[in-house]
Amino acid sequence: MKQNSDLNASFYSPVVRRLVPYVPGEQPKIDGLVKLNTNENPYPPSPRVLAAIQLAAQQGLQLYPDPEATALRQTIAAHHGLEPQQVFLGNGSDEVLAHGFFAFFQHGCPLLMPDISYSFYQVYCRLYGIPVETVPLTESLCLDVAAYARADGTAIAGVVIANPNAPTGVGLALQQVEQLLRLHPRRVVLVDEAYVDFGGDSAMGLIAQYPNLLVVHTLSKSRSLAGLRIGFACGQAHLIEALERVKNSFNSYPLDRLAIAGGVAAFEDQAWFEQTRRAVMSSREGLVLALEDFGLQVLPSQANFVFARHPTQDAAAIAAGLRARGVLVRHFKLPRIEQYLRISVGTPAQCDALVQALASVLAALA
Ligand code: PMP
């Protein structure tokens, strides 16, 4: 068998042998689980999105979509007070991030990122051969901007952060994002704002001022469209042009006709967006209080999830106990955070189910 797998691997390019792929959270095949492990929105998308997708499905699926996704680009630009040439679209923000890493960070020197952040960043670095330098978060798992300075002038490839950070949920104030942009004016600072609509401070308003700022958003979280796969980046036109060059060397049509139509409709229904994101934020406050009642320490969250640890019980054991009771949460077996659980904010009923299951798990472990 070993001989066979060696033979099979010999077909791989050397770079593929070295890859360590990202492992997404479990998407269970069994019904009825309370799924609080992948930070999806617990509410469905706007009915207007469904109607737009249905209409698009009836018209022209035999034809390729618009390679520029012009309608969605214009919609997003107008929403953020930008020009369409300041917006880049991709198949989920994961793809947008990947193109960003390829376009901006392959300089042969290290890319700076927090030691605890979205783990896909390091996966892209391996894929594209980008050296990584991790910058430790503080004891309280906050980002320390001063630690990103290079007093000795050594070269860096750029900086990537998530704001709010994942998996901690902790947000960074806009002045500190600006400080990062000023520290490295000749390198791109990529700010991944996947969760910003749940209470974070967006850097979109800084784009006109900073030619090195790229802000990445997704429709997967606050617009309930994880299944449709739409992400986008905003920045000055020269950065967007670079992303277009990469995209057009990779896949002309990352967004299909249904995604373009559904994405436009999602931005047209602001009322739905406001109502659902506020419902999530309000459930979050209740969930934090309930977790604190059990003695858990919960980091301040500006996202649609909370990051919490029990003072004495092992996080992996709690996660396993919750799973046995039909509730999925995310546990990362990683240095510094292996005693934390990341719990996505669900509907009030889902949060109640989590709280009840947690009570039973903690009673069983005590
Ligand atoms: N950035 C962060 C910080 C995330 O947590 C995620 C979701 N896993 C993404 C980007 C990617 O989201 P999507 O590809 O669904 O847009």
Side-chain angles (χ1 to χ4, degrees):
M1 271 327 258
K2 165 119 189 18
Q3 214 172 2
N4 251 347
S5 66
D6 282 352
L7 174 68
N8 292 346
S10 74
F11 292 117
Y12 297 7
S13 324
V15 65
V16 172
R17 269 182 244 152
R18 287 195 302 269
L19 292 182
V20 183
Y22 177 74
V23 183
E26 180 183 358
Q27 294 294 346
K29 305 283 184 292
I30 344 164
D31 290 336
L33 292 178
V34 177
K35 208 179 156 307
L36 303 177
N37 65 331
T38 47
N39 297 344
E40 285 133 333
N41 198 307
Y43 300 104
S46 155
R48 285 169 67 171
V49 169
L50 306 184
I53 290 176
Q54 215 153 29
L55 191 64
Q58 287 157 9
Q59 298 171 346
L61 273 190
Q62 72 278 25
L63 303 174
Y64 282 111
D66 172 6
E68 308 296 331
T70 313
L72 184 52
R73 232 174 146 152
Q74 285 173 341
T75 300
I76 291 173
H79 179 80
H80 287 293
L82 299 167
E83 298 299 322
Q85 62 274 23
Q86 296 179 303
V87 178
F88 173 81
L89 284 157
N91 189 257
S93 62
D94 281 337
E95 185 181 83
V96 175
L97 291 167
H99 289 342
F101 277 52
F102 191 90
F104 303 119
F105 298 144
Q106 298 189 90
H107 294 287
C109 45
L111 173 66
L112 305 187
M113 67 180 75
D115 61 338
I116 298 161
S117 196
Y118 184 33
S119 51
F120 225 139
Y121 302 151
Q122 299 218 23
V123 175
Y124 298 131
C125 287
R126 258 188 198 249
L127 178 62
Y128 298 134
I130 300 166
V132 173
E133 187 175 324
T134 55
V135 182
L137 295 180
T138 63
E139 274 298 296
S140 50
L141 302 186
C142 295
L143 195 142
D144 172 17
V145 171
Y148 287 73
R150 280 291 162 272
D152 59 359
T154 47
I156 63 154
V159 178
V160 59
I161 63 165
N163 187 28
N165 197 11
T168 63
V170 176
L172 190 65
L174 221 44
Q175 299 96 297
Q176 292 178 292
V177 174
E178 259 194 289
Q179 212 177 320
L180 262 184
L181 289 159
R182 291 212 200 96
L183 278 177
H184 300 291
R186 303 188 62 81
R187 290 300 194 211
V188 168
V189 175
L190 192 160
V191 184
D192 176 356
E193 296 187 342
Y195 300 102
V196 77
D197 293 328
F198 301 104
D201 288 327
S202 177
M204 284 287 184
L206 300 176
I207 285 174
Q209 237 176 305
Y210 292 95
N212 59 332
L213 170 62
L214 192 73
V215 182
V216 175
H217 277 206
T218 178
L219 277 71
S220 297
K221 314 293 178 182
S222 57
R223 300 202 184 255
S224 306
L225 287 174
L228 206 56
R229 312 304 302 131
I230 308 173
F232 62 94
C234 298
Q236 290 188 12
H238 57 272
L239 297 185
I240 301 307
E241 176 62 35
L243 291 169
E244 293 291 340
R245 289 167 76 120
V246 177
K247 172 239 167 192
N248 288 321
S249 307
F250 183 81
N251 177 5
S252 310
Y253 308 108
L255 264 68
D256 61 52
R257 286 173 171 269
L258 309 186
I260 295 169
V264 169
F267 279 93
E268 284 171 350
D269 196 346
Q270 271 311 103
W272 186 272
F273 166 74
E274 285 299 333
Q275 194 185 324
T276 48
R277 81 185 178 105
R278 285 188 193 288
V280 169
M281 289 191 282
S282 137
S283 294
R284 178 182 65 206
E285 304 321 317
L287 178 61
V288 169
L289 292 177
L291 294 175
E292 286 176 346
D293 277 349
F294 286 116
L296 274 78
Q297 297 144 3
V298 188
L299 295 189
S301 170
Q302 295 184 331
N304 67 338
F305 56 86
V306 297
F307 206 48
R309 62 178 295 167
H310 192 277
T312 52
Q313 297 301 342
D314 180 59
I318 299 176
L322 289 173
R323 197 185 192 295
R325 290 160 179 80
V327 179
L328 296 188
V329 301
R330 192 94 197 255
H331 172 245
F332 297 93
K333 205 170 162 18
L334 292 172
R336 295 188 75 192
I337 57 168
E338 67 181 336
Q339 285 311 325
Y340 281 88
L341 295 172
R342 193 196 67 189
I343 305 169
S344 308
V345 178
T347 59
Q350 289 174 318
C351 292
D352 285 350
L354 167 87
V355 168
Q356 282 183 22
L358 186 61
S360 153
V361 171
L362 292 177
L365 289 175

